[in-house]
Structures are given as C-alpha cells and as structure tokens.
Amino acid sequence: MNAEKTEVIVVGARCAGSAAAIALATAGRRVIALDSARFPADTLSTHLLWPSGLAELRALGALAGVQALGAPPLSLALAGGAGQEIRTGYPPVDGIDHGMCVRRSGLDMALVDTARRAGAEVREGVKVTELLWDGGRVAGVRYSERGGETGEIRASLVIGADGRRSTVARLAGAAAPYRSAPSGRACFFAYWHDTRPEWRHIAAQWRAGPQLGTAFPCDDGLVLCLLQPPAEDAPRFRGGNAEAAYRATIADIPPLAARLAGCTLVGKVRSATGIESYFRRSSGPGWALPGDAGHFKDPVTAQGIRDALRYGRLLGETAAPVLDDPAALDQRLLDWERAREHDCLDVYQWTNTLARGEPMNALETELYRYAQRHPPVARKMLEVFSRVRRPAEFLSLPQTLLLTARALTRPGGGFRDTLTTARRELATTITDWRERRHARRTPLR
C-alpha cells in the first residue's frame, strides 16, 4: 500500500486535537487531522468554560467564532449549600472576566474551522485502525473511511487526541493509567428552554444533602442542567426511568427546581457513569496524548476543555520546532507531559475530593458561611476554578485548622463528627502533598 506522507497526524479533531493542529499549522508544519465524526457533531460533554478556557480559545484564534454562536457571557458565579449562598464575579484571566457555556457541536465546529484556516487539513468520517511502527517508533497510521476505503499516512509525530477510549493510547500500550481514582458521583444532564432572562448571566451550582446540581445558560436560548448524584444512585436512571429520576433529583434540590420553574425540558437526558479520573503515560517515541486521551478529571470542577485546549496548543508549540530531530522531539514530548502533570496534579486531587458524592461536611459548610460574609474569600474560591490560584494556596493547612476551630465552637455543630471530618481532611491534605512531592521527584520514565 502506498502511504501518504505528512509531518504530523492528529487523531481526533475536537478540542485537544484542533488546538494541536492549529499550533502546528501556524508554525508552518504540514498537519492532517482525522476524525470519525462529521462536523458539526455533538459529543458527551458538560462544556462550561471558565475565563481561563476562553483565554485559551483566544490564544488559538477561535474565540470570535465561538462568541458568534450566541452563548451569553456568564459574569456571575453562584454556589449554594447548607443554607448558604455565595455570589461573586470572575477573576479576569488575560483580561477576560466571564465564563461561557457553549454546546459542543458549535464549539468543536468553530475549532475545526480555525484549524483549517491555519492551514491544517481536517478529514472527517475517518477512523484510525492501526499505528505504523518503524524500529520501535510510531511512524504513522492506517485508517478506514465510512465508504470502506482504507489508507496509510506516515508522519514524524502521531498525536492521539481521541478521548477517554483512545485508540492511539491502546495501540501505543498506554491505555492503563498509572494514577487513577474512581468518582463518587455519576453524571446526568439535559437542556431546557430557558424562560428566565434574569438568570442568563449566572452560572449556578447547588448542593442539597448528597445531591449536586447546576444550571449553566448556553447558546440557542437553552440552559444546561447537570446533575451529579452519588454513584450508587445511578441505577435509578436506567432503562426508561432516566427522565423521571432526573426530574425527581431536581426536585430534591429546591433552589435548582426554582431556577428551572417555567423552563421546558428539550431532548433526552444524557448520562456518564462509572467515571474514573486518571493520568496515562502520554508520550513516547513518535506519539503523544493530549486531552482526555492522556488525562481526565471528573466534570464536577469543569476543567477538561480548558486543559484540552491548553495542552493541545502547548504540545503543538513545543513539537513544531523539532519535528525533524527524533531525539529532540521525544525529549520535548516528555517535557510537555511532565509540565502538564505538574500543572494538573493538585487540581486532579482537589477535584477528586469534590467528587466524593457525599453531603457537605462541617468544614465545607463553615467555608461557605465564611465566604458568604467575606467577598474576598469567595473570590479566591473562584480563582481556584479559574486556575488563577492553586487549590493548596487556598485550602491550606492553616485554612483547614481555622475552619475546624470555627466549626467546633459553633453551637450544635456536632463536636465528634467535626473532629472526624477534620482528621480525614488533614490526612487527605498530607497524602496529596506527599503525592505531589513524589511526582516532582520521580521521572515519568
């Protein structure tokens, strides 16, 4: 079989793949991106963008196209639970001081269009079936098209941006994660026709007992309502019970039910269960895995799109100058992988804590009380979500001890339960710190 030749093959042309293709094509490299979908096409995603995610879209040259889709700027964030409600504006990131919730069909199409304008070739309806090897090095792919045609493309670098069930990761022997954590929550979401204009600028999240629900206004006059019940509640949603269980869970979160009053459910309830957060080995001779293919966090903190865009872009930028030098390329890929782990590990740990699927504990309740009375504290909380501040800088050991002291002195606070919670949180803080220190000192190879 005669193989085509290019410099880079990108498998998957959504967030991470398009970002990598844009960066490489902008640097003058020949890029072919292959995707099994035909765009515009939806995908399973909750798609909230913090200001840091919008800043990444601007860095790629895709922000104007995304804004044209009509999703409203979300200038206010709301978090409610345990009788408390926190409202605060977003900390600016590169001058952007709002979030957006953009459905993936439009978002991904805007990124594909941007990649094509940058000079990348994007082929749709193409499925990669094999990796081509040359002396232990990935040297290309074999693919099939929907019409049955097959072909080969050879390249200096194959980028697997093909999601959690990555074909490239499996074929490269990297499917098994080296770090993972099961989520304590499942995920169910649907869109509603939004009849509440007074809420169209607010991204809201509420917790009630073990239940967690959100309302994010998005494009086309819709609002995304995401529920993350405890994982053990997932069987209630199976079969023909999904919509009834979804509506019943909304009713269990009264502020969310009030937010959706007068709104109409549009389409079906979608789900993601058995969620696992992970890091996979993400680079090797002639290959790399950006986006969910290499690293995934529970959607409870809505970090996936930002990281896919950022580390897709950085992968392209770091690889472009050294594609003609295999040894230098492999080292650059390893450096890129290491930088992503350092940037994302503490956010991964913090996300795993929020994904426990439990009611708010005494320390979380105390944090909400304190943040409600002190706007700068609420602002710092949002800075963690926006990746302006690291979780450990906000949820530090002194902060945990302060919250514990406040909870212990609160009348009727449950002295024994508070101490049990504090011991667990302190143990988690120490364990996470040790994991980060070990990661800094241990080579990925």
Side-chain angles (χ1 to χ4, degrees):
M1 183 181 295
N2 293 326
E4 291 182 78
K5 291 185 179 180
T6 189
E7 292 182 294
V8 183
I9 302 163
V10 180
V11 183
R14 294 187 185 270
C15 294
S18 280
I22 291 166
L24 287 156
T26 300
R29 294 300 191 170
R30 290 179 289 116
V31 183
I32 297 176
L34 309 175
D35 202 291
S36 59
R38 293 192 182 278
F39 298 102
D42 201 4
T43 189
L44 193 66
S45 172
T46 52
H47 55 74
L48 178 67
L49 289 160
W50 303 101
S52 52
L54 296 177
E56 287 298 326
L57 287 172
R58 187 168 66 185
L60 292 166
L63 182 57
V66 172
Q67 288 172 327
L69 298 170
L74 303 175
S75 58
L76 193 66
L78 182 154
Q84 314 300 313
E85 189 174 275
I86 305 165
R87 293 176 179 244
T88 186
Y90 291 87
V93 177
D94 295 339
I96 299 173
D97 61 356
H98 62 274
M100 292 179 73
C101 186
V102 187
R103 289 180 298 164
R104 287 295 298 272
S105 55
L107 173 65
D108 295 350
M109 187 73 254
L111 285 164
V112 167
D113 287 343
T114 305
R116 284 172 168 151
R117 287 197 302 272
E121 180 181 352
V122 181
R123 299 182 188 176
E124 304 172 42
V126 179
K127 182 179 181 180
V128 168
T129 56
E130 295 180 46
L131 293 179
L132 305 178
W133 297 83
D134 184 1
R137 185 176 194 83
V138 172
V141 302
R142 183 171 288 117
Y143 66 86
S144 63
E145 299 184 39
R146 289 187 180 180
E149 299 87 352
T150 62
E152 291 183 359
I153 310 174
R154 292 189 171 269
S156 301
L157 174 61
V158 174
I159 294 175
D162 48 346
R164 288 187 291 163
R165 296 177 178 84
S166 170
T167 296
V168 176
R170 175 176 56 82
L171 295 174
Y178 63 84
R179 179 186 293 115
S180 64
S183 175
R185 296 188 179 275
C187 181
F188 301 91
F189 68 94
Y191 298 99
W192 298 66
H193 177 62
D194 198 0
T195 58
R196 306 292 299 277
E198 72 275 19
W199 282 92
R200 292 293 289 170
H201 66 293
I202 302 173
Q205 173 191 284
W206 291 277
R207 293 176 67 179
Q211 305 295 345
L212 183 152
T214 69
F216 302 143
C218 53
D219 46 301
D220 205 24
L222 301 176
V223 56
L224 169 67
C225 176
L226 163 71
L227 304 179
Q228 287 200 265
E232 57 265 27
D233 286 359
R236 294 173 46 221
F237 292 77
R238 289 178 183 160
N241 300 321
E243 183 175 332
Y246 178 78
R247 290 182 180 273
T249 304
I250 291 172
D252 288 338
I253 311 173
L256 176 59
R259 161 65 179 92
L260 295 175
C263 301
T264 305
L265 183 65
V266 177
K268 65 180 182 179
V269 176
R270 305 184 69 181
S271 65
T273 58
I275 301 169
E276 180 184 66
S277 299
Y278 57 78
F279 284 86
R280 287 175 177 146
R281 185 164 59 93
S282 293
S283 68
W287 62 272
L289 303 175
D292 290 352
H295 167 52
F296 176 77
K297 290 180 286 295
D298 187 277
V300 71
T301 54
Q303 300 296 317
I305 293 177
R306 177 267 186 188
D307 285 349
L309 295 171
R310 180 172 180 81
Y311 285 96
R313 174 177 63 82
L314 292 177
L315 172 60
E317 291 175 352
T318 198
V322 292
L323 286 174
D324 305 316
D325 184 337
L329 174 62
D330 293 349
Q331 185 60 52
R332 288 284 190 95
L333 297 178
L334 184 60
D335 291 345
W336 163 86
E337 180 182 2
R338 189 69 164 173
R340 184 183 65 181
E341 182 181 60
H342 287 170
D343 182 43
C344 296
L345 180 54
D346 57 352
V347 178
Y348 164 89
Q349 294 169 333
W350 164 66
T351 299
N352 292 340
T353 299
L354 294 180
R356 284 172 176 163
E358 302 172 355
M360 289 177 63
N361 62 44
L363 302 192
E364 289 176 306
T365 301
E366 203 60 47
L367 176 59
Y368 272 47
R369 286 194 183 104
Y370 190 57
Q372 187 176 23
R373 296 194 305 269
H374 297 84
V377 176
R379 184 85 164 181
K380 290 177 182 178
M381 287 178 63
L382 204 59
E383 287 176 350
V384 178
F385 284 92
S386 292
R387 306 292 278 274
V388 174
R389 184 182 299 270
R390 290 192 172 274
E393 295 172 357
F394 177 65
L395 301 171
S396 61
L397 182 59
Q399 179 77 8
T400 301
L401 294 173
L402 174 62
L403 294 174
T404 301
R406 289 178 179 274
L408 288 172
T409 57
R410 187 169 298 281
F415 189 87
R416 182 173 297 178
D417 289 345
T418 298
L419 281 181
T420 299
T421 297
R423 281 196 292 267
R424 183 178 73 161
E425 296 307 314
L426 289 171
T428 299
T429 298
I430 293 169
T431 300
D432 288 349
W433 174 78
R434 286 174 173 167
E435 183 177 38
R436 294 193 299 272
R437 183 179 66 171
H438 179 75
R440 286 194 298 269
R441 295 179 175 181
T442 305
L444 286 171
R445 299 288 184 270

